[in-house]
Amino acid sequence: MASIMTNAAALTALQSLNATNKSLEETQGRISTGYRVAQASDNAAYWSIATTMRSDNKANSVVQDALGLGAGKVDTAYTAMNGAIDAVEKIKDKVLLAKTSSPEDRAKIQSEIATYQAQLVDSVSGSSYAGANLLQTDSAATVTKLTVISSYNRDSTGKVTTGSIDIAYANIRLIDTNATPTGVLDKNGTASTKSILNIDVTNLTGVTGTSESQQFDNLLTDVEKALGLMADAAAELGAAKSRIDTQKSFLSNLSDAIDKGVGQLVDADMNKESTRLQALQVQQQLGIQALSIANSNSQSILSLFKNG
């Protein structure tokens, strides 16, 4: 039926063109943003999951930064600790050498020992990173350990917990800034009553009635004890360093896995969208042409009257 009131063909062509334009707009949006789910209206479930996963990944990024800062502190302390152990071993060798040396030679040996003692103080005092010195701390301070955040965990109920790597200052303290020092290097020995930093082979003092030979043995006993404590401290720092490095690597891999997971949910397939764009552009052109043809049908009704 030919009607001048209702052009059914034009209406159908217009609806088809509108649908094509809507799909074209959607595809162009995906290509321009790179997302097939850019907002909640695109797919509420996927958008919600992706938003939560992105939030967790941001938290993991903060943890990685904290681990990086902690790694710097621990690496610095570990390097300084190993240097301190070398210096104390040299002091031990000089004390042993002084035991059977003449007074004149002991003065020369003491000069070398003093150099190593100064080296110890300088290396420990200079082992700071970001304002923190793990080897030189105050035994009376309220903060008793280094805490490095190592993980961020959120369960299905939304409850958050964090993991940490802790190093007790008391286990690695070489020099104590407290008035009554308890550091490995500055506290008095149990055998010789001398600390590593005040050993003097030219002026031995010890328990009354103790022979000179025994006093040297007492010095060596305390040096060996200090070396043992320093070895334990180096082992603790080394273990913490290994844990931090392992956790940093794990978080890096986890972050990549989360990014991939989010991408699978919300990223647009650019090959697919590009092909779809070209098809829709052709459909749009055909739709415009179809609408033009449908509109021209109304003009053909006039010809009926002209012919009459």
Side-chain angles (χ1 to χ4, degrees), residues 125-162:
S125 299
S127 61
S128 295
Y129 183 92
N133 189 330
L134 307 187
L135 305 185
Q136 181 172 289
T137 53
D138 186 346
S139 57
T142 54
V143 179
T144 60
K145 61 184 178 180
L146 171 70
T147 299
V148 181
I149 294 178
S150 59
S151 63
Y152 179 89
N153 311 299
R154 179 180 51 79
D155 63 20
S156 58
T157 66
K159 181 180 179 181
V160 173
T161 57
T162 59

mmCIF file of all heavy atoms in Angstrom, residues 125-162:
data_model
loop_
_atom_site.group_PDB
_atom_site.id
_atom_site.type_symbol
_atom_site.label_atom_id
_atom_site.label_comp_id
_atom_site.label_asym_id
_atom_site.label_seq_id
_atom_site.Cartn_x
_atom_site.Cartn_y
_atom_site.Cartn_z
ATOM 1 N N SER A 125 78.984 4.336 61.691
ATOM 2 C CA SER A 125 78.278 5.619 61.737
ATOM 3 C C SER A 125 77.820 6.064 60.352
ATOM 4 O O SER A 125 76.815 6.756 60.216
ATOM 5 C CB SER A 125 79.180 6.702 62.349
ATOM 6 O OG SER A 125 79.547 6.358 63.672
ATOM 7 N N GLY A 126 78.558 5.663 59.327
ATOM 8 C CA GLY A 126 78.216 6.082 57.970
ATOM 9 C C GLY A 126 77.289 5.141 57.235
ATOM 10 O O GLY A 126 76.967 5.381 56.065
ATOM 11 N N SER A 127 76.832 4.084 57.889
ATOM 12 C CA SER A 127 75.987 3.094 57.196
ATOM 13 C C SER A 127 74.512 3.459 57.284
ATOM 14 O O SER A 127 73.669 2.632 57.638
ATOM 15 C CB SER A 127 76.210 1.700 57.782
ATOM 16 O OG SER A 127 75.863 1.679 59.168
ATOM 17 N N SER A 128 74.207 4.707 56.957
ATOM 18 C CA SER A 128 72.816 5.177 56.988
ATOM 19 C C SER A 128 72.206 5.113 55.598
ATOM 20 O O SER A 128 72.892 5.313 54.591
ATOM 21 C CB SER A 128 72.750 6.616 57.508
ATOM 22 O OG SER A 128 73.177 6.680 58.857
ATOM 23 N N TYR A 129 70.911 4.850 55.569
ATOM 24 C CA TYR A 129 70.165 4.860 54.304
ATOM 25 C C TYR A 129 68.807 5.477 54.588
ATOM 26 O O TYR A 129 68.076 5.007 55.470
ATOM 27 C CB TYR A 129 69.992 3.447 53.764
ATOM 28 C CG TYR A 129 69.290 3.399 52.415
ATOM 29 C CD1 TYR A 129 70.015 3.424 51.231
ATOM 30 C CD2 TYR A 129 67.900 3.342 52.326
ATOM 31 C CE1 TYR A 129 69.379 3.387 49.993
ATOM 32 C CE2 TYR A 129 67.255 3.312 51.102
ATOM 33 C CZ TYR A 129 67.999 3.332 49.944
ATOM 34 O OH TYR A 129 67.353 3.297 48.733
ATOM 35 N N ALA A 130 68.505 6.552 53.867
ATOM 36 C CA ALA A 130 67.226 7.265 54.055
ATOM 37 C C ALA A 130 67.044 7.684 55.509
ATOM 38 O O ALA A 130 65.948 7.624 56.052
ATOM 39 C CB ALA A 130 66.060 6.401 53.585
ATOM 40 N N GLY A 131 68.154 8.074 56.145
ATOM 41 C CA GLY A 131 68.076 8.565 57.518
ATOM 42 C C GLY A 131 68.064 7.483 58.584
ATOM 43 O O GLY A 131 67.970 7.794 59.777
ATOM 44 N N ALA A 132 68.144 6.215 58.189
ATOM 45 C CA ALA A 132 68.102 5.108 59.154
ATOM 46 C C ALA A 132 69.447 4.394 59.185
ATOM 47 O O ALA A 132 70.011 4.065 58.147
ATOM 48 C CB ALA A 132 67.001 4.129 58.787
ATOM 49 N N ASN A 133 69.935 4.159 60.407
ATOM 50 C CA ASN A 133 71.174 3.417 60.599
ATOM 51 C C ASN A 133 70.853 2.214 61.474
ATOM 52 O O ASN A 133 70.617 2.354 62.679
ATOM 53 C CB ASN A 133 72.240 4.296 61.260
ATOM 54 C CG ASN A 133 73.605 3.621 61.274
ATOM 55 O OD1 ASN A 133 73.712 2.405 61.327
ATOM 56 N ND2 ASN A 133 74.656 4.425 61.220
ATOM 57 N N LEU A 134 70.808 1.044 60.890
ATOM 58 C CA LEU A 134 70.394 -0.151 61.625
ATOM 59 C C LEU A 134 71.464 -0.660 62.583
ATOM 60 O O LEU A 134 71.137 -1.379 63.530
ATOM 61 C CB LEU A 134 70.033 -1.274 60.636
ATOM 62 C CG LEU A 134 69.009 -0.950 59.547
ATOM 63 C CD1 LEU A 134 68.644 -2.213 58.785
ATOM 64 C CD2 LEU A 134 67.784 -0.290 60.123
ATOM 65 N N LEU A 135 72.708 -0.298 62.349
ATOM 66 C CA LEU A 135 73.806 -0.821 63.174
ATOM 67 C C LEU A 135 74.151 0.089 64.345
ATOM 68 O O LEU A 135 74.873 -0.327 65.253
ATOM 69 C CB LEU A 135 75.056 -1.031 62.311
ATOM 70 C CG LEU A 135 74.889 -1.915 61.079
ATOM 71 C CD1 LEU A 135 76.229 -2.131 60.393
ATOM 72 C CD2 LEU A 135 74.246 -3.249 61.438
ATOM 73 N N GLN A 136 73.640 1.315 64.316
ATOM 74 C CA GLN A 136 73.911 2.266 65.404
ATOM 75 C C GLN A 136 72.567 2.800 65.905
ATOM 76 O O GLN A 136 71.993 3.713 65.317
ATOM 77 C CB GLN A 136 74.806 3.409 64.906
ATOM 78 C CG GLN A 136 75.165 4.430 65.988
ATOM 79 C CD GLN A 136 76.193 5.428 65.509
ATOM 80 O OE1 GLN A 136 77.358 5.068 65.322
ATOM 81 N NE2 GLN A 136 75.784 6.663 65.297
ATOM 82 N N THR A 137 72.069 2.216 66.976
ATOM 83 C CA THR A 137 70.754 2.564 67.504
ATOM 84 C C THR A 137 70.810 2.739 69.015
ATOM 85 O O THR A 137 71.818 2.428 69.656
ATOM 86 C CB THR A 137 69.724 1.470 67.155
ATOM 87 O OG1 THR A 137 70.231 0.193 67.588
ATOM 88 C CG2 THR A 137 69.459 1.424 65.659
ATOM 89 N N ASP A 138 69.707 3.218 69.560
ATOM 90 C CA ASP A 138 69.609 3.482 70.997
ATOM 91 C C ASP A 138 68.860 2.329 71.657
ATOM 92 O O ASP A 138 67.696 2.068 71.336
ATOM 93 C CB ASP A 138 68.874 4.800 71.232
ATOM 94 C CG ASP A 138 68.868 5.223 72.697
ATOM 95 O OD1 ASP A 138 69.197 4.384 73.562
ATOM 96 O OD2 ASP A 138 68.510 6.383 72.975
ATOM 97 N N SER A 139 69.510 1.633 72.564
ATOM 98 C CA SER A 139 68.889 0.483 73.217
ATOM 99 C C SER A 139 67.708 0.881 74.090
ATOM 100 O O SER A 139 66.887 0.030 74.455
ATOM 101 C CB SER A 139 69.919 -0.266 74.070
ATOM 102 O OG SER A 139 70.495 0.606 75.039
ATOM 103 N N ALA A 140 67.596 2.187 74.443
ATOM 104 C CA ALA A 140 66.489 2.643 75.278
ATOM 105 C C ALA A 140 65.329 3.207 74.463
ATOM 106 O O ALA A 140 64.319 3.630 75.026
ATOM 107 C CB ALA A 140 66.989 3.706 76.259
ATOM 108 N N ALA A 141 65.460 3.228 73.129
ATOM 109 C CA ALA A 141 64.407 3.788 72.277
ATOM 110 C C ALA A 141 63.168 2.904 72.298
ATOM 111 O O ALA A 141 63.242 1.695 72.535
ATOM 112 C CB ALA A 141 64.919 3.950 70.851
ATOM 113 N N THR A 142 62.021 3.532 72.053
ATOM 114 C CA THR A 142 60.762 2.788 72.056
ATOM 115 C C THR A 142 60.616 1.913 70.812
ATOM 116 O O THR A 142 59.945 0.884 70.846
ATOM 117 C CB THR A 142 59.563 3.749 72.132
ATOM 118 O OG1 THR A 142 59.661 4.708 71.069
ATOM 119 C CG2 THR A 142 59.565 4.498 73.464
ATOM 120 N N VAL A 143 61.228 2.356 69.712
ATOM 121 C CA VAL A 143 61.201 1.540 68.494
ATOM 122 C C VAL A 143 62.332 0.526 68.579
ATOM 123 O O VAL A 143 63.507 0.892 68.626
ATOM 124 C CB VAL A 143 61.364 2.408 67.232
ATOM 125 C CG1 VAL A 143 61.356 1.537 65.985
ATOM 126 C CG2 VAL A 143 60.247 3.442 67.154
ATOM 127 N N THR A 144 61.984 -0.749 68.607
ATOM 128 C CA THR A 144 62.984 -1.794 68.859
ATOM 129 C C THR A 144 63.304 -2.652 67.639
ATOM 130 O O THR A 144 64.129 -3.562 67.741
ATOM 131 C CB THR A 144 62.488 -2.719 69.979
ATOM 132 O OG1 THR A 144 61.251 -3.331 69.574
ATOM 133 C CG2 THR A 144 62.278 -1.936 71.268
ATOM 134 N N LYS A 145 62.662 -2.358 66.523
ATOM 135 C CA LYS A 145 62.919 -3.203 65.354
ATOM 136 C C LYS A 145 62.612 -2.447 64.072
ATOM 137 O O LYS A 145 61.851 -1.471 64.065
ATOM 138 C CB LYS A 145 62.069 -4.473 65.410
ATOM 139 C CG LYS A 145 60.580 -4.207 65.400
ATOM 140 C CD LYS A 145 59.779 -5.495 65.553
ATOM 141 C CE LYS A 145 58.274 -5.221 65.589
ATOM 142 N NZ LYS A 145 57.499 -6.459 65.735
ATOM 143 N N LEU A 146 63.217 -2.924 62.990
ATOM 144 C CA LEU A 146 62.882 -2.437 61.657
ATOM 145 C C LEU A 146 61.749 -3.298 61.127
ATOM 146 O O LEU A 146 61.838 -4.524 61.120
ATOM 147 C CB LEU A 146 64.085 -2.553 60.724
ATOM 148 C CG LEU A 146 63.800 -2.273 59.232
ATOM 149 C CD1 LEU A 146 63.497 -0.792 59.016
ATOM 150 C CD2 LEU A 146 64.971 -2.708 58.363
ATOM 151 N N THR A 147 60.665 -2.653 60.692
ATOM 152 C CA THR A 147 59.521 -3.371 60.138
ATOM 153 C C THR A 147 59.328 -2.958 58.686
ATOM 154 O O THR A 147 59.149 -1.772 58.404
ATOM 155 C CB THR A 147 58.241 -3.073 60.940
ATOM 156 O OG1 THR A 147 58.418 -3.517 62.298
ATOM 157 C CG2 THR A 147 57.044 -3.800 60.330
ATOM 158 N N VAL A 148 59.373 -3.929 57.804
ATOM 159 C CA VAL A 148 59.178 -3.686 56.378
ATOM 160 C C VAL A 148 57.898 -4.389 55.946
ATOM 161 O O VAL A 148 57.790 -5.620 56.074
ATOM 162 C CB VAL A 148 60.365 -4.221 55.547
ATOM 163 C CG1 VAL A 148 60.147 -3.938 54.068
ATOM 164 C CG2 VAL A 148 61.670 -3.606 56.025
ATOM 165 N N ILE A 149 56.915 -3.628 55.450
ATOM 166 C CA ILE A 149 55.671 -4.235 54.979
ATOM 167 C C ILE A 149 55.986 -5.111 53.765
ATOM 168 O O ILE A 149 56.620 -4.672 52.819
ATOM 169 C CB ILE A 149 54.638 -3.158 54.606
ATOM 170 C CG1 ILE A 149 54.216 -2.384 55.862
ATOM 171 C CG2 ILE A 149 53.414 -3.794 53.965
ATOM 172 C CD1 ILE A 149 53.236 -1.269 55.574
ATOM 173 N N SER A 150 55.505 -6.352 53.819
ATOM 174 C CA SER A 150 55.844 -7.304 52.760
ATOM 175 C C SER A 150 54.656 -7.788 51.945
ATOM 176 O O SER A 150 54.833 -8.359 50.866
ATOM 177 C CB SER A 150 56.545 -8.524 53.367
ATOM 178 O OG SER A 150 55.704 -9.162 54.323
ATOM 179 N N SER A 151 53.428 -7.567 52.437
ATOM 180 C CA SER A 151 52.269 -8.040 51.681
ATOM 181 C C SER A 151 51.013 -7.293 52.100
ATOM 182 O O SER A 151 50.933 -6.756 53.214
ATOM 183 C CB SER A 151 52.067 -9.548 51.882
ATOM 184 O OG SER A 151 51.774 -9.835 53.243
ATOM 185 N N TYR A 152 50.052 -7.260 51.183
ATOM 186 C CA TYR A 152 48.734 -6.674 51.431
ATOM 187 C C TYR A 152 47.696 -7.717 51.050
ATOM 188 O O TYR A 152 47.643 -8.161 49.907
ATOM 189 C CB TYR A 152 48.554 -5.414 50.585
ATOM 190 C CG TYR A 152 47.208 -4.728 50.746
ATOM 191 C CD1 TYR A 152 47.018 -3.755 51.719
ATOM 192 C CD2 TYR A 152 46.129 -5.057 49.923
ATOM 193 C CE1 TYR A 152 45.796 -3.123 51.877
ATOM 194 C CE2 TYR A 152 44.905 -4.432 50.073
ATOM 195 C CZ TYR A 152 44.737 -3.465 51.048
ATOM 196 O OH TYR A 152 43.521 -2.846 51.202
ATOM 197 N N ASN A 153 46.902 -8.133 52.044
ATOM 198 C CA ASN A 153 45.969 -9.233 51.823
ATOM 199 C C ASN A 153 44.542 -8.799 52.173
ATOM 200 O O ASN A 153 44.316 -8.204 53.228
ATOM 201 C CB ASN A 153 46.356 -10.447 52.677
ATOM 202 C CG ASN A 153 47.819 -10.794 52.561
ATOM 203 O OD1 ASN A 153 48.304 -11.106 51.482
ATOM 204 N ND2 ASN A 153 48.554 -10.719 53.659
ATOM 205 N N ARG A 154 43.600 -9.105 51.287
ATOM 206 C CA ARG A 154 42.190 -8.800 51.535
ATOM 207 C C ARG A 154 41.388 -10.064 51.274
ATOM 208 O O ARG A 154 41.453 -10.651 50.189
ATOM 209 C CB ARG A 154 41.721 -7.668 50.610
ATOM 210 C CG ARG A 154 40.257 -7.295 50.780
ATOM 211 C CD ARG A 154 39.882 -6.171 49.819
ATOM 212 N NE ARG A 154 40.280 -6.466 48.451
ATOM 213 C CZ ARG A 154 39.582 -7.273 47.647
ATOM 214 N NH1 ARG A 154 38.476 -7.837 48.071
ATOM 215 N NH2 ARG A 154 40.010 -7.511 46.421
ATOM 216 N N ASP A 155 40.594 -10.499 52.303
ATOM 217 C CA ASP A 155 39.820 -11.718 52.119
ATOM 218 C C ASP A 155 38.469 -11.409 51.485
ATOM 219 O O ASP A 155 38.171 -10.263 51.130
ATOM 220 C CB ASP A 155 39.658 -12.473 53.445
ATOM 221 C CG ASP A 155 38.878 -11.680 54.492
ATOM 222 O OD1 ASP A 155 38.147 -10.736 54.108
ATOM 223 O OD2 ASP A 155 38.978 -12.013 55.679
ATOM 224 N N SER A 156 37.629 -12.438 51.334
ATOM 225 C CA SER A 156 36.354 -12.288 50.641
ATOM 226 C C SER A 156 35.381 -11.374 51.374
ATOM 227 O O SER A 156 34.439 -10.852 50.771
ATOM 228 C CB SER A 156 35.707 -13.668 50.443
ATOM 229 O OG SER A 156 35.512 -14.311 51.699
ATOM 230 N N THR A 157 35.603 -11.166 52.676
ATOM 231 C CA THR A 157 34.718 -10.282 53.445
ATOM 232 C C THR A 157 35.200 -8.838 53.426
ATOM 233 O O THR A 157 34.541 -7.958 53.980
ATOM 234 C CB THR A 157 34.618 -10.757 54.903
ATOM 235 O OG1 THR A 157 35.907 -10.617 55.543
ATOM 236 C CG2 THR A 157 34.172 -12.208 54.976
ATOM 237 N N GLY A 158 36.350 -8.595 52.828
ATOM 238 C CA GLY A 158 36.905 -7.244 52.777
ATOM 239 C C GLY A 158 37.879 -6.948 53.897
ATOM 240 O O GLY A 158 38.432 -5.851 53.955
ATOM 241 N N LYS A 159 38.118 -7.913 54.786
ATOM 242 C CA LYS A 159 39.061 -7.700 55.887
ATOM 243 C C LYS A 159 40.492 -7.668 55.346
ATOM 244 O O LYS A 159 40.902 -8.542 54.588
ATOM 245 C CB LYS A 159 38.927 -8.804 56.928
ATOM 246 C CG LYS A 159 39.857 -8.624 58.116
ATOM 247 C CD LYS A 159 39.689 -9.753 59.128
ATOM 248 C CE LYS A 159 40.646 -9.586 60.297
ATOM 249 N NZ LYS A 159 40.509 -10.692 61.277
ATOM 250 N N VAL A 160 41.242 -6.664 55.774
ATOM 251 C CA VAL A 160 42.613 -6.472 55.277
ATOM 252 C C VAL A 160 43.630 -6.835 56.355
ATOM 253 O O VAL A 160 43.475 -6.473 57.527
ATOM 254 C CB VAL A 160 42.835 -5.014 54.829
ATOM 255 C CG1 VAL A 160 44.302 -4.766 54.488
ATOM 256 C CG2 VAL A 160 41.954 -4.687 53.633
ATOM 257 N N THR A 161 44.639 -7.562 55.957
ATOM 258 C CA THR A 161 45.784 -7.843 56.827
ATOM 259 C C THR A 161 47.061 -7.566 56.039
ATOM 260 O O THR A 161 47.074 -7.655 54.811
ATOM 261 C CB THR A 161 45.797 -9.311 57.301
ATOM 262 O OG1 THR A 161 45.804 -10.180 56.155
ATOM 263 C CG2 THR A 161 44.584 -9.613 58.159
ATOM 264 N N THR A 162 48.115 -7.215 56.743
ATOM 265 C CA THR A 162 49.405 -6.964 56.095
ATOM 266 C C THR A 162 50.474 -7.848 56.716
ATOM 267 O O THR A 162 50.444 -8.127 57.914
ATOM 268 C CB THR A 162 49.828 -5.488 56.232
ATOM 269 O OG1 THR A 162 49.909 -5.147 57.626
ATOM 270 C CG2 THR A 162 48.819 -4.569 55.542
#
